[in-house]
Amino acid sequence: MAADPDCIFCKIIAGEIPCFRLYEDDATLAFMDINPANDGHVLVIPKEHSADVHAVSADAITATVLTAQKIAAAVQKTLEPDGLNLLQCNGPAAAQSVFHFHMHVLPRKNGDALKMNWGLNPGDMDRIGEIAERIRANL
Ligand code: DGP
């Protein structure tokens, strides 16, 4: 399994750094985030090291999403949050701080202070259509 000796999450997988482990299988590990945005904030990572969504393998991302769904169900049953975000960040501009692909399982409360920093503003349909065409050309 590919590992990066300088990666903090690889060290957690190897047991070199402690964590509150929730679940582990051959491909993934789920553990509590030490900087929780809300109670019950969990991280799910593939054991195979890759930096982000552009680098992660299809098998690793699939396994990570399936474990995140399992953890989300357990968090929902345990804490009964009002809502729950599955979140995944790529690059510093998207607030990625650890460069080992991971998903956040983040319970939400009505009225909590967490913000998704975009509003529901009507888009310019011409611009949306033009950008869709450009992305389609790269699929
Ligand atoms: P992101 O910003 O999406 O890259 O999220 C990284 C998360 O990892 C952040 O919420 C804090 C958490 N984190 C960083 N270092 C550690 C650690 O050593 N242990 C644990 N459990 N979580 C960590």
Side-chain angles (χ1 to χ4, degrees):
M1 191 87 56
D4 175 346
D6 297 324
C7 169
I8 198 158
F9 286 177
C10 287
K11 289 180 183 174
I12 287 175
I13 292 163
E16 292 165 15
I17 292 178
C19 72
F20 294 98
R21 271 174 202 242
L22 293 178
Y23 173 81
E24 184 169 7
D25 59 25
D26 286 349
T28 65
L29 173 67
F31 56 100
M32 304 304 290
D33 192 307
I34 47 162
N35 301 128
N38 267 336
D39 282 348
H41 186 167
V42 178
L43 298 172
V44 182
I45 62 176
K47 290 186 174 175
E48 176 183 286
H49 178 84
S50 62
D52 57 24
V53 71
H54 306 299
V56 68
S57 71
D59 284 348
I61 194 170
T62 301
T64 303
V65 170
L66 291 175
T67 297
Q69 185 184 37
K70 185 189 289 279
I71 296 298
V75 167
Q76 189 66 37
K77 191 172 175 186
T78 307
L79 298 174
E80 298 183 336
D82 299 316
L84 192 150
N85 288 119
L86 293 186
L87 187 66
Q88 196 276 314
C89 307
N90 301 284
Q96 185 179 15
S97 59
V98 176
F99 293 86
H100 180 125
F101 179 86
H102 55 279
M103 294 193 73
H104 298 258
V105 178
L106 178 54
R108 301 296 303 272
K109 288 180 227 139
N110 287 325
D112 69 25
L114 300 182
K115 299 217 180 333
M116 296 285 156
N117 63 357
W118 64 88
L120 295 179
N121 302 311
D124 175 334
M125 293 303 142
D126 290 341
R127 184 164 171 75
I128 292 169
E130 184 251 319
I131 292 169
E133 203 170 304
R134 285 166 53 200
I135 296 170
R136 254 184 244 120
N138 283 315
L139 284 172

